[in-house]
Amino acid sequence: ADEVLTEVWRDEPFYRESGGGATFSGGEPLLQLDFLEALLCGCRERGVHAALDTCGYAPWEAFERVRGLVDLFLYDLKSLDGDRHRAFTGVGNEPILANLRELVRRGHAVVLRVPVVPGLNDDDGSLEALAALAAGLPGLRGVDLLPYHRLGAEKYARLGRDYRLADVAPPAPARVMAMAAVLRGRGLTVTTGG
C-alpha cells in the first residue's frame, strides 16, 4: 500500500488544484479489502478525495469496513433483471441492489455507472426499471451511461478466453441519447460516455 500511495502523492498538487483525487477500481477492489482499506486510510490522512469503483457484489460487511473512508462510490449496475444479470455475469444482482440501497440510505455519495449493452439492458423495459430505481434513490448523485465498446475483445483473445459479446455492436449514439433523455425526464443528472 505504501508503494501505491507514494505514486498517488506524486499527483497531490494536481488534486489540490483540480479538486480531483484517487479512484480505486479493479477487478473488484472490495475483494482486496485490507489493501483497499490501507489505501483509503492513506488518502483520508492526506485529505485526498477517494472514489471507489465497485460492482457492488460483496458482503455488506466489506462496505461497512471502508464506507467511512470513501468520498464517492462509482457503482456499476449491469442489469436490473436478475435472470439476465446471472446469465451475463454468473451471479445474481440481489446483493448488488441491496448494497446500493443501503449506501444511499446512509447518505453516501453514489453515482450509478451503467454500461449500455445492446440486447442486455438497452430495451425499453430495462430503461424503465433503471429510471424507476434511480429516481427512487434519494440523494443519488447521477447516472453515467457508458456505451458498450469492443476494446476488451483483444484482451480476452490474449488470455485465451471466449469473448461472449463479440457479435454485439456498440449502441447507436441516438439510442444512448434517447435513454439519457428518459432518465433526465425523471429528474436525474445524467452523463454519457463516462
Side-chain angles (χ1 to χ4, degrees):
D2 289 338
E3 290 176 27
V4 172
L5 289 171
T6 297
E7 290 297 315
V8 171
W9 303 154
R10 288 183 183 172
D11 291 330
E12 194 169 4
F14 175 73
Y15 307 146
R16 301 278 179 238
E17 287 292 317
S18 69
T23 299
F24 300 101
S25 61
E28 174 51 58
L30 290 168
L31 293 179
Q32 300 179 51
L33 197 52
D34 292 337
F35 183 58
L36 175 63
E37 185 176 34
L39 296 172
L40 292 169
C41 283
C43 287
R44 182 56 48 105
E45 288 168 7
R46 295 281 285 255
V48 172
H49 185 275
L52 177 60
D53 189 345
T54 179
C55 73
Y57 191 76
W60 174 252
E61 293 75 24
F63 283 95
E64 186 66 48
R65 191 162 144 195
V66 299
R67 68 184 180 84
L69 302 168
V70 176
D71 297 301
L72 175 65
F73 287 91
L74 302 172
Y75 206 96
D76 298 343
L77 192 57
K78 294 168 184 68
S79 177
L80 290 170
D81 181 290
D83 292 334
R84 282 186 192 175
H85 194 279
R86 190 170 286 102
F88 280 90
T89 68
V91 298
N93 62 4
E94 297 84 4
I96 295 166
L97 295 172
N99 288 334
L100 170 63
R101 289 182 177 106
E102 188 63 18
L103 284 173
V104 171
R105 185 185 76 74
R106 292 178 183 235
H108 291 284
V110 177
V111 172
L112 287 181
R113 295 173 50 86
V114 181
V116 178
V117 182
L120 173 64
N121 63 2
D122 69 330
D123 59 280
D124 290 342
S126 294
L127 176 58
E128 182 50 40
L130 173 61
L133 172 74
L137 294 171
L140 183 72
R141 292 284 177 97
V143 179
D144 291 342
L145 296 178
L146 309 171
Y148 165 77
H149 54 73
R150 294 183 174 137
L151 296 177
E154 184 180 316
K155 184 177 185 179
Y156 272 70
R158 285 194 314 265
L159 294 171
R161 295 183 65 193
D162 182 37
Y163 190 68
R164 294 176 39 199
L165 300 176
D167 295 331
V168 175
R175 177 59 182 157
V176 176
M177 291 297 110
M179 292 175 74
V182 168
L183 294 170
R184 286 184 186 115
R186 297 290 289 267
L188 298 163
T189 301
V190 182
T191 61
T192 59

